[in-house]
């Protein structure tokens, strides 16, 4: 025990739990993450199930999330850029790691050294990679095919012609052919069936090579869309994958912000920049230490932003069993919640308001800001103190 009578003997690190005193904090339930991945694997039927960990595992931490997903059984991973693949290799030693942005001159050594698989999406990348393998030896790659998204990928006719090209080098070894659904989150969209039929043509052309079409939403479309490998992303992190249906996934991330001050304000007074919210009753306001610099975006404001002209309510927080609305404009470091309806003795300065988590679903908050859960998660700032709850905790 420290000698509190002698200030010079006190080790402040022993007295302060940074998570318990942080202005903003993020709890990441890695047990829920693993359970969500297992649920997506079960829903994928006979297809093998990868884990998409791009964008720092959707903002939740590549090292910790990658480690837990690997322990849960994932042996195929998708990252966006080569640096993410290099980092992940430490935590997934024998996994196959696909790099969705492909490969560019100067990066090829990293792919060989760390056993990464480039996802080639253009004639230029194909030509470059074939020259690399001709010089340095066989190394696996994947092919991205555009089946109606008009994003990355070889065109359908290009891909089929390439499949039939007997002149391509023997050292060129695609291990996966993949495409991506543009409307998988809308089950009744005719685009899904159109892309499925186009991808079936690709799969036939590349007979003997594994195929992958579905991310999270596509998995829920059923077995026809599963092929050999599925690629769940947002569902693993607890977000909604399909529009208009209840979300079956467990929440993974809980964001909270600390109340700095609770203040009384009179009916008729205004709140925050521009005075865009005028109080209609005597109110109690909780000012919390998170704002748009923490990814709690300005569009979530209760008033004073263009979105409120077409969508009535802003975001809500949760404290002491009550949903509490954001009032006025969210600022860089601060957000104001109306806590008038929360019993006065139930909360105090220093308590935390949940921004999203078990009580305020991630995607409900995102909708209040006119966006999606993907953006909210990947926009989380650096100021959150993080606590990871591992499956065996």
């Amino acid at each position: 025990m420290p000698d509190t009578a002698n200030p010079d003997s006190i080790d402040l690190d022993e007295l302060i739990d940074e998570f318990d005193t942080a202005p903003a904090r993020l709890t990441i339930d890695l047990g829920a993450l693993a359970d969500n991945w297992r649920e997506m694997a079960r829903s994928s039927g006979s297809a093998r199930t990868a884990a998409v960990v791009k964008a720092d595992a959707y903002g939740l931490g590549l090292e910790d999330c990658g480690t837990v997903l690997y322990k849960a059984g994932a042996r195929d991973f998708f990252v966006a850029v080569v640096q993410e693949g290099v980092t992940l290799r430490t935590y997934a030693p024998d996994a196959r790691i696909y790099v969705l942005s492909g490969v560019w001159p100067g990066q090829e050594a990293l792919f060989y050294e760390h056993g990464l698989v480039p996802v080639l999406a253009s004639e230029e990348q194909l030509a470059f990679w074939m020259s690399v393998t001709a010089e340095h030896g066989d190394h696996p790659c994947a092919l991205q095919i555009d089946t109606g998204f008009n994003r990355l990928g070889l065109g359908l006719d290009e891909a089929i012609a390439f499949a039939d090209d007997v002149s391509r080098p023997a050292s060129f070894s695609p291990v996966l052919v993949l495409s991506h659904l543009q409307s998988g989150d809308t089950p009744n969209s005719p685009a899904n069936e159109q892309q499925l039929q186009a991808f079936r043509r690709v799969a036939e052309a590349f007979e003997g090579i594994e195929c992958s079409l579905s991310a999270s939403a596509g998995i829920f479309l059923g077995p026809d869309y599963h092929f050999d490998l599925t690629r769940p992303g947002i569902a693993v992190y607890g977000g909604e994958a399909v529009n208009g249906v209840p979300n079956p996934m467990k929440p993974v991330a809980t964001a909270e912000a600390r109340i700095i001050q609770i203040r009384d304000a009179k009916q008729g007074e205004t709140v925050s920049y521009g005075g865009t919210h005028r109080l209609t009753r005597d109110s109690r306001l909780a000012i919390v230490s998170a704002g748009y610099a923490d990814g709690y975006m300005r569009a979530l404001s209760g008033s004073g932003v263009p979105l409120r002209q077409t969508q009535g309510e802003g975001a809500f927080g949760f404290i002491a069993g009550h949903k509490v609305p954001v009032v006025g404009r969210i600022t860089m470091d601060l957000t104001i919640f109306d806590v008038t309806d929360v019993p006065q003795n139930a909360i105090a300065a220093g308590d935390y308001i949940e921004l999203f988590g078990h009580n305020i679903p991630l995607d409900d908050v995102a909708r209040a800001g006119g966006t999606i859960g993907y953006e909210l998660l990947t926009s989380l700032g650096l100021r959150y103190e993080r606590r990871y709850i591992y499956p065996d905790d």
Side-chain angles (χ1 to χ4, degrees):
M1 293 289 292
D3 181 2
T4 55
N6 179 6
D8 292 336
S9 73
I10 296 175
D11 183 349
L12 292 179
D13 290 338
E14 293 184 17
L15 300 181
I16 297 172
D17 184 321
E18 292 184 0
F19 186 83
D20 289 340
T21 59
R25 63 191 191 183
L26 188 67
T27 302
I28 299 155
D29 185 345
L30 294 173
L33 180 86
D35 287 345
N36 286 344
W37 181 82
R38 292 188 190 100
E39 177 60 23
M40 296 309 286
R42 186 196 64 76
S43 298
S44 297
S46 61
R48 203 165 66 255
T49 304
V52 180
V53 293
K54 61 184 180 176
D56 195 33
Y58 286 52
L60 299 185
L62 178 59
E63 295 88 343
D64 292 273
C65 293
T67 297
V68 166
L69 290 167
Y70 180 81
K71 289 181 178 178
R75 289 298 179 269
D76 297 87
F77 289 84
F78 286 82
V79 298
V81 296
V82 67
Q83 291 82 3
E84 292 175 335
V86 171
T87 299
L88 179 62
R89 176 56 71 202
T90 301
Y91 306 96
D94 62 346
R96 178 164 276 171
I97 301 173
Y98 296 92
V99 179
L100 288 163
S101 62
V103 59
W104 294 95
Q107 295 179 331
E108 57 269 30
L110 292 173
F111 283 86
Y112 277 80
E113 180 181 351
H114 298 280
L116 308 177
V117 180
V119 179
L120 309 176
S122 68
E123 294 280 5
E124 293 85 358
Q125 287 192 339
L126 271 175
F128 173 65
W129 190 247
M130 283 192 285
S131 70
V132 168
T133 57
E135 180 177 354
H136 298 289
D138 191 11
H139 190 83
C141 67
L143 299 178
Q144 172 94 278
I145 314 299
D146 178 58
T147 54
F149 204 145
N150 271 324
R151 200 172 62 167
L152 285 178
L154 298 172
L156 190 63
D157 292 338
E158 282 180 303
I160 292 173
F162 183 73
D164 294 334
D165 185 358
V166 295
S167 67
R168 67 175 189 253
S171 59
F172 183 75
S173 303
V175 294
L176 184 70
V177 175
L178 67 151
S179 190
H180 195 64
L181 295 168
Q182 54 129 304
S183 299
D185 58 356
T186 307
N188 61 357
S189 171
N192 294 323
E193 178 65 23
Q194 292 165 8
Q195 285 192 262
L196 175 62
Q197 295 307 323
F199 193 64
R200 281 177 171 160
R201 289 180 58 200
V202 172
E204 290 171 4
F206 287 92
E207 185 179 2
I209 296 175
E210 288 193 329
C211 294
S212 177
L213 178 62
S214 290
S216 294
I219 292 171
F220 291 113
L221 291 176
D224 286 350
Y225 290 82
H226 294 168
F227 291 88
D228 301 295
L229 181 70
T230 61
R231 314 186 305 270
I234 190 63
V236 174
Y237 303 96
E240 291 181 8
V242 181
N243 298 327
V245 299
N247 182 8
M249 313 314 293
K250 294 181 178 179
V252 173
T254 299
E256 300 169 292
R258 194 170 202 180
I259 299 173
I260 300 174
Q261 181 186 22
I262 299 175
R263 62 184 305 121
D264 295 322
K266 296 293 186 182
Q267 178 180 344
E269 293 181 350
T270 61
V271 180
S272 196
Y273 280 125
T276 60
H277 180 83
R278 188 173 296 277
L279 298 172
T280 58
R281 60 178 177 172
D282 290 349
S283 302
R284 286 166 49 243
L285 305 176
I287 294 85
V288 308
S289 53
Y292 57 75
D294 305 288
Y296 201 64
M297 53 196 66
R298 190 172 180 269
L300 296 169
S301 299
S303 61
V305 293
L307 187 64
R308 295 288 78 82
Q309 297 171 17
T310 56
Q311 182 174 318
E313 290 183 330
F316 284 80
F318 187 88
I319 189 169
H322 291 74
K323 285 181 67 176
V324 292
V326 173
V327 290
R329 287 178 178 156
I330 292 170
T331 65
M332 183 181 293
D333 312 302
L334 300 170
T335 299
I336 303 169
F337 291 89
D338 185 337
V339 295
T340 310
D341 294 327
V342 182
Q344 189 163 352
N345 62 357
I347 60 172
D351 291 345
Y352 287 87
I353 286 180
E354 179 186 304
L355 306 179
F356 62 81
H358 286 270
N359 301 292
I360 303 291
L362 168 72
D363 289 278
D364 285 358
V365 178
R367 274 187 285 273
T371 187
I372 54 178
Y374 301 72
E375 184 176 14
L376 193 56
L377 279 183
T378 58
S379 298
L380 296 172
L382 299 175
R383 297 192 295 195
Y384 290 92
E385 185 68 28
R386 295 177 177 224
R387 174 170 289 172
Y388 290 91
I389 302 174
Y390 281 83
D392 54 355
D393 285 355

